[in-house]
Amino acid sequence: DIAQWDWAGLATTLGPSANARGSRVRTGDELSAALASASSERLTLIEAVVPALDVPPLLAALAERVSSANARH
């Protein structure tokens, strides 16, 4: 599980002198806009909100193997 933090808001905790910006996106269009507004002149943190069980097959397989290996120890 991923902690329920305000990940996009984390950038503001660095203070105004950090020149950081956070964005929370839920759609492909929002992601495109956030990426387009990103700059190499500042830290940009983009929080992508996806469904709880949205896991790529490779990551799911890796997690299963790690879990199995850990259960044997």
Side-chain angles (χ1 to χ4, degrees), residues 14-25:
L14 301 173
S17 64
N19 195 20
R21 179 172 180 234
S23 300
R24 179 177 293 114
V25 301

Side-chain angles (χ1 to χ4, degrees), residues 6 10 16-17 21 28-29 32 34-35 37 39-42 46 50 53 56-59 67-68 71:
D6 178 6
L10 187 61
S17 64
R21 179 172 180 234
D29 288 342
S32 294
L35 290 170
S37 70
S39 167
S40 63
E41 301 299 317
R42 69 172 177 244
I46 300 173
V50 298
L53 300 177
L58 179 60
L59 181 57
S67 178
S68 295

